[in-house]
Amino acid sequence: MVARRKFTPEFKARVVLEMLTEQKSAAQASREYGIKDSVLSRWKQEFIERSPQLFEAAGSNYDDSEQRIAELERMIGRLAMELEMAKKVSRFLTSPTNKSGS
């Protein structure tokens, strides 16, 4: 029984990109790397099918970041208002005209 070779995702992507950019034909890649045409064809198909997911994930991460930034900006605004209010109350409570016992 022949042991199956394992290829890294980076290697697969490089080979598929070589074929897509026409640096190498499928036949050339098959000969050079010793990989069956059917395997290369499957890699190429998977690459093409999954490529939109890459951009969906990137877009959703961007949207998540934008939402998180907006949430943090609202929180900063609310905390700034609370701090200002606390300062005013503190000044009012410590003002000389407001001390009992005078």
Side-chain angles (χ1 to χ4, degrees):
M1 181 174 197
V2 176
R4 287 182 71 171
R5 294 185 294 169
K6 301 259 183 183
F7 298 99
T8 65
E10 292 81 9
F11 175 79
K12 292 177 182 181
R14 184 171 48 92
V15 172
V16 169
L17 286 171
E18 287 174 352
M19 292 187 305
L20 288 173
T21 59
E22 299 178 352
Q23 291 176 354
K24 292 184 181 148
S25 67
Q28 286 173 311
S30 177
R31 280 191 307 272
E32 185 174 325
Y33 300 117
I35 302 170
K36 291 183 179 181
D37 289 347
S38 60
V39 173
L40 293 176
S41 178
R42 188 179 71 240
W43 290 359
K44 183 178 175 182
Q45 187 63 34
E46 286 179 30
F47 186 92
I48 292 169
E49 287 174 359
R50 292 183 182 179
S51 62
Q53 294 170 353
L54 172 69
F55 294 107
E56 287 173 4
S60 68
N61 286 341
Y62 179 77
D63 291 343
D64 291 346
S65 296
E66 289 295 313
Q67 288 176 352
R68 182 70 176 143
I69 289 169
E71 178 185 334
L72 291 171
E73 287 175 341
R74 284 191 298 273
M75 187 183 301
I76 289 170
R78 187 177 64 247
L79 290 172
M81 286 177 43
E82 288 176 8
L83 178 61
E84 199 57 41
M85 188 99 74
K87 286 179 182 177
K88 288 179 182 178
V89 168
S90 176
R91 279 186 291 227
F92 176 76
L93 293 176
T94 58
S95 68
T97 57
N98 222 11
K99 294 204 177 193
S100 13
S102 327

